[in-house]
Amino acid sequence: MNGLIEHTLRGSWTPLGASAAPLSPHALRWLRQRTGLAETTTPAVPASLLEVAESDLPEAARAELVALIGEQQVLTDPAERLGRAGGMSYTDLMRRRGGSRLAVPDAVLLPTGPELVQGVLEICVRHDIAVVPFGGGTSVVGGVDALRGGKTAVVALDLARLDRLVSLDPGSRIAVVQAGMRASEAESLLAAHGFTLGHFPQSYERATIGGFAATRSAGQASAGYGRFEDMVEGVRLATPVGEWRLGVSPASAAGPDLRQLAVGSEGALGVITEVALRVRPAPARSRYEAFVVDGWQSGVDAVRALAQGRALADVTRLSDVDETDVQLELSGALKAGALKTYLRGRGIRQPCMLVLGWDAASRGELKQRRSATLRALRGIRLVRLGRPVGEAWRSHRFSGPRQRDALLDRGVCVETLETATHWTDLSELRSAVRTALVRNLQANGKSPIVMCHISHAYETGASLYFTVLAARNADDPLGQWQRAKTAASDAIAGRGTITHHHAVGADHLPWLEAEIGDVGGAVLAAAKKAVDPTGILNPGKLIRPAR
């Protein structure tokens, strides 16, 4: 636990035993040339210099909590509280680095079972204490910010000790997993029985099963395995008014599917303690390949053909010209130059990389699925880069967050945002968001690098995932990004969803009602009132307080 806290305080994504991804001299030179990045470094502020206010947890409440879950599970030490102060957004990391406006919980609670989580909520209701469920701490939208919401105190309810594989039904292919189990551990336990969940978002190394469910996560292989809400067969929640269990059959017509109200509820309608999940046999064969298409629209047409032809690979990822350029440059000057020359010789003027990956039970199935994908792409001019590039992407697909630490140290404003819309609106939305980001992040006479990729495709549309690299405004680093994010969100509103898989949290709340309407907002508020009448659960996230 102490090692995790040390990494969290630094603002690092690096899991224990792994190393941060350094920047090569070539990458640094290239970034300075493209973005106007200064040559000075901006290391993180040591955790010991961050100011943490005294805990406001009422002594009477503390005594009841200790009696319920034990002295060692009620933590008020400043270091422990700092370790759960926010998530992993650029804003979160910059606040930890500078210590400005850092919302720190008054205590960290570590219950060891679902019944104890229920008891914790009942105590917090009696003492009017806000409760922020905390899993892997990977939220990038303010989803785990320690907001009080007018309560006497706020606690982080850390589910790390709810980490059991409760049951596995091989016949029905259902695994019941406690909410605090990390995705990597769940995969390891399932693999021992010959199964996989197949859910691999970029947060995979740290995120938890409960966090996936609470935010309606989408993994990199969602085209093959489905989004996380597609995997949920049942869910168990603790709420201030009592325990709530949902899901007794594979399908039902018994009214609206309340599982889908619980899934995506972001801790505002209950604390997820267990999830029953559909699992699949672990693949015996996998193959990842990379291709290049000429131009963004050609790439979009290719992915649309795959989606509408029901020939998507499990991983289908299209990078635009800027993202492809960054991928090539960060691979090294010689490799980048040689590959760009090769592509120009093949008539590719605007290279966009397409990564395709398949999982299969046998060599025959893999061959059949790959052939179906490539047949659907026959009308698209492709240059094949082959398996080495595809497998290299696969090997490094979780390294982006770790590389962000090195970028932050060098004074880079680096952040992501995402959306989704229908095919006919996709390129227009990309252009609108990109324009908003470029306009608001120019610095030192240089434009930012704004990258975009499609990583989730459907018959009717696709996601857009943006990554920004810009020279940081040293005088107002938080305002710099917040203005850009607001402009991008305004550009999204009315054209696409405010979030495809990052969730609403606090950051997207101002745009939610425009997407779901006044009636939708009222429905969420009514559900909140039913399960959390005093409003202790994750204040300021997903649901606006009653006006």
Side-chain angles (χ1 to χ4, degrees):
M1 184 66 70
N2 289 336
L4 171 62
I5 291 172
E6 289 167 7
H7 283 293
T8 304
L9 288 177
R10 185 181 181 276
S12 170
W13 198 287
T14 309
L16 301 183
S19 59
L23 295 173
S24 69
H26 168 72
L28 277 173
R29 287 193 301 271
W30 183 79
L31 278 171
R32 287 170 183 148
Q33 180 183 5
R34 281 287 305 270
T35 68
L37 186 66
E39 296 198 19
T40 56
T41 58
T42 58
V45 173
S48 59
L49 297 183
L50 298 180
E51 185 176 342
V52 181
E54 291 293 321
S55 171
D56 281 337
L57 183 67
E59 185 53 42
R62 183 184 184 283
E64 286 190 48
L65 290 166
V66 167
L68 176 69
I69 63 176
E71 183 83 36
Q72 301 303 312
Q73 327 307 329
V74 181
L75 311 178
T76 55
D77 179 80
E80 299 286 357
R81 292 158 55 206
L82 271 172
R84 285 80 166 185
M88 285 289 162
S89 71
Y90 174 72
T91 300
D92 290 327
L93 300 185
M94 289 304 298
R95 283 175 177 164
R96 283 196 204 103
R97 283 172 167 254
S100 62
R101 297 175 297 180
L102 195 60
V104 180
D106 294 296
V108 176
L109 310 180
L110 288 154
T112 56
E115 297 82 3
L116 295 178
V117 173
Q118 184 64 46
V120 164
L121 294 191
E122 292 167 4
I123 292 171
C124 290
V125 168
R126 285 198 295 273
H127 293 276
D128 200 33
I129 295 170
V131 177
V132 179
F134 195 95
T138 61
S139 172
V140 292
V141 294
V144 293
D145 286 359
L147 305 181
R148 285 198 186 194
K151 302 302 180 183
T152 59
V154 56
V155 296
L157 181 55
D158 191 326
L159 300 169
R161 294 178 186 172
L162 273 71
D163 60 354
R164 291 178 51 230
L165 174 61
V166 178
S167 64
L168 176 63
D169 177 352
S172 301
R173 294 185 179 177
I174 296 174
V176 178
V177 184
Q178 288 188 330
M181 181 177 287
R182 291 179 183 263
S184 55
E185 178 65 14
E187 277 297 318
S188 177
L189 291 174
L190 290 171
H193 297 277
F195 289 98
T196 181
L197 187 57
H199 193 70
F200 303 105
Q202 198 171 56
S203 59
Y204 171 78
E205 293 173 323
R206 290 185 60 146
T208 61
I209 296 299
F212 290 156
T215 58
R216 295 179 69 186
S217 173
Q220 293 168 345
S222 65
Y225 291 94
R227 292 168 58 94
F228 200 78
E229 66 258 34
D230 302 324
M231 304 174 183
V232 175
E233 293 289 322
V235 63
R236 180 180 181 183
L237 300 95
T239 83
V241 297
E243 191 170 68
W244 193 13
R245 292 176 182 251
L246 296 163
V248 297
S249 65
S252 171
D257 187 354
L258 294 180
R259 284 177 300 183
Q260 294 304 328
L261 183 61
V263 174
S265 59
E266 300 186 33
L269 299 179
V271 179
I272 295 172
T273 57
E274 289 180 359
V275 188
L277 296 165
R278 180 212 68 208
V279 296
R280 290 181 176 170
R285 300 277 180 174
S286 294
R287 182 180 177 115
Y288 283 72
E289 295 182 63
F291 304 80
V292 169
V293 297
D294 193 15
W296 168 257
Q297 192 56 51
S298 293
V300 170
D301 292 342
V303 177
R304 180 168 60 85
L306 293 177
Q308 295 180 343
R310 299 185 180 181
L312 285 165
D314 296 312
V315 171
T316 304
R317 182 186 181 100
L318 171 71
S319 295
D320 70 1
V321 172
D322 291 289
E323 184 166 283
T324 301
D325 194 34
V326 170
Q327 290 172 335
L328 296 180
E329 290 294 342
L330 294 185
S331 69
L334 294 177
K335 290 181 182 178
L339 187 51
K340 288 178 180 179
T341 299
Y342 170 74
L343 292 173
R344 282 195 296 271
R346 300 293 300 273
I348 301 294
R349 299 292 178 244
Q350 293 183 304
C352 293
M353 189 178 295
L354 176 65
V355 174
L356 301 174
W358 302 266
D359 288 341
S362 66
R363 186 189 300 271
E365 181 191 344
L366 178 61
K367 182 178 180 181
Q368 181 181 37
R369 290 193 60 211
R370 179 177 177 271
S371 295
T373 300
L374 297 183
R375 276 197 307 273
L377 293 173
R378 279 179 180 169
I380 307 293
R381 187 159 64 93
L382 299 171
V383 173
R384 188 170 298 175
L385 299 183
R387 294 185 68 178
V389 179
E391 293 294 346
W393 177 86
R394 183 188 191 187
S395 298
H396 296 94
R397 61 179 170 167
F398 305 129
S399 65
R402 295 199 296 276
Q403 196 169 59
R404 185 167 64 164
D405 294 328
L407 291 167
L408 290 173
D409 285 345
R410 292 291 180 170
V412 179
C413 171
V414 50
E415 184 56 301
T416 63
L417 61 90
E418 41 77 55
T419 181
T421 193
H422 298 122
W423 289 114
T424 51
D425 302 318
L426 197 73
S427 291
E428 180 184 342
L429 177 56
R430 172 180 168 270
S431 178
V433 173
R434 189 180 188 284
T435 297
L437 291 170
V438 169
R439 182 180 297 133
N440 284 272
L441 287 170
Q442 291 187 2
N444 304 328
K446 297 278 190 176
S447 293
I449 301 170
V450 179
M451 300 168 272
C452 183
H453 67 254
I454 292 173
S455 54
H456 305 86
Y458 311 91
E459 185 174 356
T460 58
S463 66
L464 292 171
Y465 193 99
F466 296 87
T467 303
V468 170
L469 298 175
R472 187 184 306 152
N473 182 332
D475 296 326
D476 187 18
L478 297 183
Q480 176 191 22
W481 172 247
Q482 288 164 350
R483 287 187 293 272
K485 177 66 181 285
T486 296
S489 298
D490 287 342
I492 289 169
R495 291 186 173 102
T497 179
I498 194 61
T499 175
H500 172 263
H501 59 269
H502 279 172
V504 176
D507 293 359
H508 292 145
L509 190 54
W511 292 272
L512 178 63
E513 204 159 292
E515 182 168 331
I516 66 174
D518 293 342
V519 173
V523 169
L524 285 179
K528 174 80 167 174
K529 188 69 173 176
V531 297
D532 182 21
T534 63
I536 66 164
L537 291 176
N538 216 6
K541 328 294 169 46
L542 182 64
I543 300 169
R544 285 190 180 278
R547 297 185 180 91

mmCIF file of all heavy atoms in Angstrom, residues 205-244:
data_model
loop_
_atom_site.group_PDB
_atom_site.id
_atom_site.type_symbol
_atom_site.label_atom_id
_atom_site.label_comp_id
_atom_site.label_asym_id
_atom_site.label_seq_id
_atom_site.Cartn_x
_atom_site.Cartn_y
_atom_site.Cartn_z
ATOM 1 N N GLU A 205 -3.764 -1.328 -16.096
ATOM 2 C CA GLU A 205 -2.784 -1.689 -15.063
ATOM 3 C C GLU A 205 -3.230 -1.285 -13.660
ATOM 4 O O GLU A 205 -2.779 -1.859 -12.673
ATOM 5 C CB GLU A 205 -1.429 -1.055 -15.380
ATOM 6 C CG GLU A 205 -0.786 -1.618 -16.633
ATOM 7 C CD GLU A 205 0.462 -0.857 -17.033
ATOM 8 O OE1 GLU A 205 0.510 0.373 -16.880
ATOM 9 O OE2 GLU A 205 1.412 -1.510 -17.493
ATOM 10 N N ARG A 206 -4.113 -0.272 -13.564
ATOM 11 C CA ARG A 206 -4.509 0.209 -12.239
ATOM 12 C C ARG A 206 -6.002 0.135 -11.965
ATOM 13 O O ARG A 206 -6.419 0.071 -10.817
ATOM 14 C CB ARG A 206 -4.063 1.670 -12.074
ATOM 15 C CG ARG A 206 -2.574 1.855 -11.955
ATOM 16 C CD ARG A 206 -2.236 3.304 -11.680
ATOM 17 N NE ARG A 206 -2.829 3.796 -10.443
ATOM 18 C CZ ARG A 206 -2.260 4.685 -9.653
ATOM 19 N NH1 ARG A 206 -1.087 5.173 -9.977
ATOM 20 N NH2 ARG A 206 -2.842 5.095 -8.560
ATOM 21 N N ALA A 207 -6.818 0.173 -13.000
ATOM 22 C CA ALA A 207 -8.261 0.283 -12.813
ATOM 23 C C ALA A 207 -8.852 -0.991 -12.215
ATOM 24 O O ALA A 207 -8.268 -2.078 -12.297
ATOM 25 C CB ALA A 207 -8.928 0.602 -14.139
ATOM 26 N N THR A 208 -10.040 -0.845 -11.633
ATOM 27 C CA THR A 208 -10.696 -1.949 -10.941
ATOM 28 C C THR A 208 -11.995 -2.342 -11.635
ATOM 29 O O THR A 208 -12.569 -1.582 -12.420
ATOM 30 C CB THR A 208 -11.022 -1.572 -9.487
ATOM 31 O OG1 THR A 208 -11.929 -0.450 -9.485
ATOM 32 C CG2 THR A 208 -9.761 -1.212 -8.712
ATOM 33 N N ILE A 209 -12.477 -3.523 -11.291
ATOM 34 C CA ILE A 209 -13.727 -4.038 -11.857
ATOM 35 C C ILE A 209 -14.894 -3.114 -11.508
ATOM 36 O O ILE A 209 -15.729 -2.794 -12.363
ATOM 37 C CB ILE A 209 -13.992 -5.466 -11.344
ATOM 38 C CG1 ILE A 209 -12.889 -6.433 -11.832
ATOM 39 C CG2 ILE A 209 -15.374 -5.942 -11.770
ATOM 40 C CD1 ILE A 209 -12.776 -6.551 -13.338
ATOM 41 N N GLY A 210 -14.962 -2.661 -10.261
ATOM 42 C CA GLY A 210 -16.037 -1.756 -9.873
ATOM 43 C C GLY A 210 -15.961 -0.436 -10.605
ATOM 44 O O GLY A 210 -16.988 0.142 -10.987
ATOM 45 N N GLY A 211 -14.736 0.066 -10.829
ATOM 46 C CA GLY A 211 -14.573 1.306 -11.574
ATOM 47 C C GLY A 211 -15.035 1.170 -13.011
ATOM 48 O O GLY A 211 -15.664 2.078 -13.572
ATOM 49 N N PHE A 212 -14.723 0.022 -13.638
ATOM 50 C CA PHE A 212 -15.204 -0.222 -14.998
ATOM 51 C C PHE A 212 -16.723 -0.144 -15.060
ATOM 52 O O PHE A 212 -17.297 0.460 -15.967
ATOM 53 C CB PHE A 212 -14.760 -1.606 -15.486
ATOM 54 C CG PHE A 212 -13.295 -1.757 -15.765
ATOM 55 C CD1 PHE A 212 -12.698 -3.007 -15.727
ATOM 56 C CD2 PHE A 212 -12.504 -0.671 -16.087
ATOM 57 C CE1 PHE A 212 -11.357 -3.181 -16.010
ATOM 58 C CE2 PHE A 212 -11.149 -0.818 -16.362
ATOM 59 C CZ PHE A 212 -10.577 -2.086 -16.321
ATOM 60 N N ALA A 213 -17.377 -0.809 -14.092
ATOM 61 C CA ALA A 213 -18.838 -0.834 -14.093
ATOM 62 C C ALA A 213 -19.414 0.543 -13.808
ATOM 63 O O ALA A 213 -20.387 0.972 -14.441
ATOM 64 C CB ALA A 213 -19.344 -1.842 -13.063
ATOM 65 N N ALA A 214 -18.824 1.249 -12.867
ATOM 66 C CA ALA A 214 -19.356 2.545 -12.463
ATOM 67 C C ALA A 214 -19.258 3.593 -13.551
ATOM 68 O O ALA A 214 -20.005 4.573 -13.555
ATOM 69 C CB ALA A 214 -18.638 3.034 -11.208
ATOM 70 N N THR A 215 -18.332 3.402 -14.512
ATOM 71 C CA THR A 215 -18.091 4.419 -15.542
ATOM 72 C C THR A 215 -18.440 3.949 -16.953
ATOM 73 O O THR A 215 -18.185 4.665 -17.915
ATOM 74 C CB THR A 215 -16.620 4.854 -15.528
ATOM 75 O OG1 THR A 215 -15.782 3.716 -15.748
ATOM 76 C CG2 THR A 215 -16.263 5.497 -14.188
ATOM 77 N N ARG A 216 -18.986 2.753 -17.099
ATOM 78 C CA ARG A 216 -19.313 2.205 -18.428
ATOM 79 C C ARG A 216 -18.080 2.246 -19.331
ATOM 80 O O ARG A 216 -18.085 2.797 -20.422
ATOM 81 C CB ARG A 216 -20.487 2.959 -19.054
ATOM 82 C CG ARG A 216 -21.773 2.769 -18.280
ATOM 83 C CD ARG A 216 -22.930 3.548 -18.895
ATOM 84 N NE ARG A 216 -23.319 2.980 -20.182
ATOM 85 C CZ ARG A 216 -24.224 3.548 -20.986
ATOM 86 N NH1 ARG A 216 -24.786 4.690 -20.648
ATOM 87 N NH2 ARG A 216 -24.538 2.966 -22.123
ATOM 88 N N SER A 217 -17.047 1.624 -18.856
ATOM 89 C CA SER A 217 -15.758 1.617 -19.539
ATOM 90 C C SER A 217 -15.840 0.907 -20.892
ATOM 91 O O SER A 217 -16.689 0.043 -21.116
ATOM 92 C CB SER A 217 -14.739 0.908 -18.644
ATOM 93 O OG SER A 217 -13.509 0.724 -19.282
ATOM 94 N N ALA A 218 -14.948 1.299 -21.788
ATOM 95 C CA ALA A 218 -14.790 0.617 -23.079
ATOM 96 C C ALA A 218 -13.331 0.227 -23.235
ATOM 97 O O ALA A 218 -12.444 1.052 -23.040
ATOM 98 C CB ALA A 218 -15.233 1.513 -24.238
ATOM 99 N N GLY A 219 -13.076 -1.023 -23.565
ATOM 100 C CA GLY A 219 -11.705 -1.501 -23.704
ATOM 101 C C GLY A 219 -11.227 -1.433 -25.143
ATOM 102 O O GLY A 219 -12.015 -1.270 -26.083
ATOM 103 N N GLN A 220 -9.931 -1.592 -25.324
ATOM 104 C CA GLN A 220 -9.347 -1.492 -26.660
ATOM 105 C C GLN A 220 -9.836 -2.608 -27.584
ATOM 106 O O GLN A 220 -9.822 -2.458 -28.802
ATOM 107 C CB GLN A 220 -7.827 -1.499 -26.553
ATOM 108 C CG GLN A 220 -7.283 -0.256 -25.868
ATOM 109 C CD GLN A 220 -5.819 -0.378 -25.498
ATOM 110 O OE1 GLN A 220 -5.259 -1.470 -25.487
ATOM 111 N NE2 GLN A 220 -5.187 0.737 -25.172
ATOM 112 N N ALA A 221 -10.277 -3.726 -27.003
ATOM 113 C CA ALA A 221 -10.784 -4.845 -27.802
ATOM 114 C C ALA A 221 -12.306 -4.927 -27.745
ATOM 115 O O ALA A 221 -12.884 -6.005 -27.899
ATOM 116 C CB ALA A 221 -10.164 -6.155 -27.322
ATOM 117 N N SER A 222 -12.962 -3.785 -27.563
ATOM 118 C CA SER A 222 -14.414 -3.806 -27.388
ATOM 119 C C SER A 222 -15.158 -4.231 -28.643
ATOM 120 O O SER A 222 -16.291 -4.699 -28.563
ATOM 121 C CB SER A 222 -14.916 -2.434 -26.932
ATOM 122 O OG SER A 222 -14.714 -1.454 -27.931
ATOM 123 N N ALA A 223 -14.546 -4.090 -29.822
ATOM 124 C CA ALA A 223 -15.216 -4.542 -31.038
ATOM 125 C C ALA A 223 -15.448 -6.049 -31.005
ATOM 126 O O ALA A 223 -16.418 -6.550 -31.587
ATOM 127 C CB ALA A 223 -14.391 -4.166 -32.271
ATOM 128 N N GLY A 224 -14.567 -6.770 -30.319
ATOM 129 C CA GLY A 224 -14.711 -8.215 -30.226
ATOM 130 C C GLY A 224 -15.408 -8.686 -28.971
ATOM 131 O O GLY A 224 -16.250 -9.592 -29.008
ATOM 132 N N TYR A 225 -15.072 -8.055 -27.834
ATOM 133 C CA TYR A 225 -15.577 -8.525 -26.556
ATOM 134 C C TYR A 225 -16.746 -7.700 -26.031
ATOM 135 O O TYR A 225 -17.430 -8.114 -25.103
ATOM 136 C CB TYR A 225 -14.451 -8.496 -25.515
ATOM 137 C CG TYR A 225 -13.374 -9.520 -25.781
ATOM 138 C CD1 TYR A 225 -12.236 -9.197 -26.501
ATOM 139 C CD2 TYR A 225 -13.497 -10.822 -25.311
ATOM 140 C CE1 TYR A 225 -11.237 -10.123 -26.749
ATOM 141 C CE2 TYR A 225 -12.504 -11.767 -25.541
ATOM 142 C CZ TYR A 225 -11.379 -11.411 -26.265
ATOM 143 O OH TYR A 225 -10.401 -12.344 -26.504
ATOM 144 N N GLY A 226 -16.973 -6.516 -26.596
ATOM 145 C CA GLY A 226 -18.041 -5.648 -26.125
ATOM 146 C C GLY A 226 -17.548 -4.635 -25.117
ATOM 147 O O GLY A 226 -16.461 -4.761 -24.540
ATOM 148 N N ARG A 227 -18.347 -3.593 -24.927
ATOM 149 C CA ARG A 227 -18.087 -2.626 -23.868
ATOM 150 C C ARG A 227 -18.357 -3.282 -22.521
ATOM 151 O O ARG A 227 -18.972 -4.350 -22.447
ATOM 152 C CB ARG A 227 -18.991 -1.404 -24.052
ATOM 153 C CG ARG A 227 -18.668 -0.557 -25.270
ATOM 154 C CD ARG A 227 -19.780 0.440 -25.530
ATOM 155 N NE ARG A 227 -19.993 1.312 -24.370
ATOM 156 C CZ ARG A 227 -19.426 2.521 -24.219
ATOM 157 N NH1 ARG A 227 -18.612 2.992 -25.159
ATOM 158 N NH2 ARG A 227 -19.680 3.260 -23.162
ATOM 159 N N PHE A 228 -17.939 -2.625 -21.441
ATOM 160 C CA PHE A 228 -18.067 -3.284 -20.144
ATOM 161 C C PHE A 228 -19.528 -3.511 -19.767
ATOM 162 O O PHE A 228 -19.868 -4.537 -19.178
ATOM 163 C CB PHE A 228 -17.360 -2.475 -19.054
ATOM 164 C CG PHE A 228 -17.053 -3.304 -17.833
ATOM 165 C CD1 PHE A 228 -15.990 -4.182 -17.831
ATOM 166 C CD2 PHE A 228 -17.847 -3.236 -16.700
ATOM 167 C CE1 PHE A 228 -15.709 -4.985 -16.727
ATOM 168 C CE2 PHE A 228 -17.575 -4.018 -15.587
ATOM 169 C CZ PHE A 228 -16.502 -4.897 -15.605
ATOM 170 N N GLU A 229 -20.412 -2.550 -20.109
ATOM 171 C CA GLU A 229 -21.816 -2.753 -19.745
ATOM 172 C C GLU A 229 -22.416 -3.973 -20.447
ATOM 173 O O GLU A 229 -23.389 -4.560 -19.958
ATOM 174 C CB GLU A 229 -22.655 -1.512 -20.053
ATOM 175 C CG GLU A 229 -22.794 -1.161 -21.522
ATOM 176 C CD GLU A 229 -21.888 -0.021 -21.920
ATOM 177 O OE1 GLU A 229 -20.778 0.077 -21.354
ATOM 178 O OE2 GLU A 229 -22.285 0.784 -22.776
ATOM 179 N N ASP A 230 -21.831 -4.363 -21.600
ATOM 180 C CA ASP A 230 -22.298 -5.564 -22.290
ATOM 181 C C ASP A 230 -21.902 -6.835 -21.546
ATOM 182 O O ASP A 230 -22.492 -7.899 -21.773
ATOM 183 C CB ASP A 230 -21.711 -5.618 -23.706
ATOM 184 C CG ASP A 230 -22.053 -4.398 -24.544
ATOM 185 O OD1 ASP A 230 -23.177 -3.886 -24.395
ATOM 186 O OD2 ASP A 230 -21.196 -3.954 -25.333
ATOM 187 N N MET A 231 -20.898 -6.737 -20.680
ATOM 188 C CA MET A 231 -20.403 -7.904 -19.951
ATOM 189 C C MET A 231 -21.111 -8.123 -18.622
ATOM 190 O O MET A 231 -21.001 -9.187 -18.024
ATOM 191 C CB MET A 231 -18.900 -7.736 -19.682
ATOM 192 C CG MET A 231 -18.074 -7.517 -20.930
ATOM 193 S SD MET A 231 -16.340 -7.168 -20.507
ATOM 194 C CE MET A 231 -15.659 -6.866 -22.139
ATOM 195 N N VAL A 232 -21.816 -7.085 -18.129
ATOM 196 C CA VAL A 232 -22.384 -7.147 -16.786
ATOM 197 C C VAL A 232 -23.672 -7.963 -16.794
ATOM 198 O O VAL A 232 -24.653 -7.596 -17.436
ATOM 199 C CB VAL A 232 -22.648 -5.741 -16.231
ATOM 200 C CG1 VAL A 232 -23.349 -5.826 -14.879
ATOM 201 C CG2 VAL A 232 -21.332 -4.974 -16.087
ATOM 202 N N GLU A 233 -23.669 -9.071 -16.062
ATOM 203 C CA GLU A 233 -24.853 -9.910 -15.897
ATOM 204 C C GLU A 233 -25.616 -9.582 -14.619
ATOM 205 O O GLU A 233 -26.819 -9.816 -14.537
ATOM 206 C CB GLU A 233 -24.442 -11.383 -15.887
ATOM 207 C CG GLU A 233 -23.896 -11.881 -17.206
ATOM 208 C CD GLU A 233 -24.979 -12.000 -18.273
ATOM 209 O OE1 GLU A 233 -26.108 -12.407 -17.939
ATOM 210 O OE2 GLU A 233 -24.694 -11.672 -19.435
ATOM 211 N N GLY A 234 -24.928 -9.067 -13.649
ATOM 212 C CA GLY A 234 -25.565 -8.712 -12.380
ATOM 213 C C GLY A 234 -24.671 -7.781 -11.591
ATOM 214 O O GLY A 234 -23.468 -7.680 -11.862
ATOM 215 N N VAL A 235 -25.252 -7.096 -10.635
ATOM 216 C CA VAL A 235 -24.483 -6.147 -9.845
ATOM 217 C C VAL A 235 -25.055 -6.073 -8.435
ATOM 218 O O VAL A 235 -26.266 -6.214 -8.226
ATOM 219 C CB VAL A 235 -24.471 -4.749 -10.528
ATOM 220 C CG1 VAL A 235 -25.865 -4.169 -10.620
ATOM 221 C CG2 VAL A 235 -23.516 -3.801 -9.859
ATOM 222 N N ARG A 236 -24.176 -5.901 -7.467
ATOM 223 C CA ARG A 236 -24.546 -5.750 -6.063
ATOM 224 C C ARG A 236 -24.047 -4.396 -5.594
ATOM 225 O O ARG A 236 -22.873 -4.075 -5.771
ATOM 226 C CB ARG A 236 -23.922 -6.873 -5.236
ATOM 227 C CG ARG A 236 -24.219 -6.838 -3.739
ATOM 228 C CD ARG A 236 -23.527 -8.011 -3.048
ATOM 229 N NE ARG A 236 -23.802 -8.049 -1.618
ATOM 230 C CZ ARG A 236 -23.276 -8.943 -0.776
ATOM 231 N NH1 ARG A 236 -22.441 -9.874 -1.236
ATOM 232 N NH2 ARG A 236 -23.581 -8.919 0.522
ATOM 233 N N LEU A 237 -24.942 -3.602 -5.020
ATOM 234 C CA LEU A 237 -24.585 -2.266 -4.562
ATOM 235 C C LEU A 237 -24.992 -2.080 -3.103
ATOM 236 O O LEU A 237 -26.012 -2.615 -2.652
ATOM 237 C CB LEU A 237 -25.290 -1.180 -5.376
ATOM 238 C CG LEU A 237 -25.062 -1.080 -6.862
ATOM 239 C CD1 LEU A 237 -26.164 -1.833 -7.590
ATOM 240 C CD2 LEU A 237 -25.071 0.375 -7.307
ATOM 241 N N ALA A 238 -24.219 -1.273 -2.394
ATOM 242 C CA ALA A 238 -24.620 -0.750 -1.088
ATOM 243 C C ALA A 238 -25.174 0.652 -1.323
ATOM 244 O O ALA A 238 -24.558 1.447 -2.049
ATOM 245 C CB ALA A 238 -23.427 -0.699 -0.143
ATOM 246 N N THR A 239 -26.320 0.946 -0.751
ATOM 247 C CA THR A 239 -26.897 2.286 -0.872
ATOM 248 C C THR A 239 -27.295 2.769 0.518
ATOM 249 O O THR A 239 -27.461 1.959 1.441
ATOM 250 C CB THR A 239 -28.148 2.313 -1.778
ATOM 251 O OG1 THR A 239 -29.297 1.910 -1.021
ATOM 252 C CG2 THR A 239 -27.982 1.427 -2.990
ATOM 253 N N PRO A 240 -27.485 4.060 0.703
ATOM 254 C CA PRO A 240 -27.889 4.571 2.013
ATOM 255 C C PRO A 240 -29.225 4.037 2.511
ATOM 256 O O PRO A 240 -29.504 4.089 3.713
ATOM 257 C CB PRO A 240 -27.948 6.081 1.782
ATOM 258 C CG PRO A 240 -26.940 6.334 0.718
ATOM 259 C CD PRO A 240 -27.080 5.161 -0.205
ATOM 260 N N VAL A 241 -30.061 3.500 1.604
ATOM 261 C CA VAL A 241 -31.365 2.987 2.046
ATOM 262 C C VAL A 241 -31.396 1.469 2.091
ATOM 263 O O VAL A 241 -32.440 0.869 2.368
ATOM 264 C CB VAL A 241 -32.497 3.513 1.132
ATOM 265 C CG1 VAL A 241 -32.597 5.018 1.227
ATOM 266 C CG2 VAL A 241 -32.311 3.057 -0.313
ATOM 267 N N GLY A 242 -30.279 0.805 1.820
ATOM 268 C CA GLY A 242 -30.233 -0.647 1.880
ATOM 269 C C GLY A 242 -29.505 -1.242 0.696
ATOM 270 O O GLY A 242 -29.215 -0.560 -0.290
ATOM 271 N N GLU A 243 -29.207 -2.544 0.797
ATOM 272 C CA GLU A 243 -28.478 -3.207 -0.276
ATOM 273 C C GLU A 243 -29.385 -3.412 -1.486
ATOM 274 O O GLU A 243 -30.585 -3.651 -1.367
ATOM 275 C CB GLU A 243 -27.923 -4.543 0.194
ATOM 276 C CG GLU A 243 -26.937 -5.144 -0.789
ATOM 277 C CD GLU A 243 -26.195 -6.330 -0.233
ATOM 278 O OE1 GLU A 243 -26.838 -7.375 -0.011
ATOM 279 O OE2 GLU A 243 -24.972 -6.219 -0.020
ATOM 280 N N TRP A 244 -28.788 -3.349 -2.677
ATOM 281 C CA TRP A 244 -29.520 -3.443 -3.937
ATOM 282 C C TRP A 244 -28.825 -4.482 -4.798
ATOM 283 O O TRP A 244 -27.641 -4.361 -5.103
ATOM 284 C CB TRP A 244 -29.491 -2.069 -4.614
ATOM 285 C CG TRP A 244 -30.436 -1.870 -5.752
ATOM 286 C CD1 TRP A 244 -31.485 -2.656 -6.131
ATOM 287 C CD2 TRP A 244 -30.407 -0.779 -6.684
ATOM 288 N NE1 TRP A 244 -32.114 -2.134 -7.220
ATOM 289 C CE2 TRP A 244 -31.486 -0.987 -7.585
ATOM 290 C CE3 TRP A 244 -29.589 0.345 -6.841
ATOM 291 C CZ2 TRP A 244 -31.744 -0.102 -8.637
ATOM 292 C CZ3 TRP A 244 -29.846 1.215 -7.877
ATOM 293 C CH2 TRP A 244 -30.922 1.004 -8.766
#
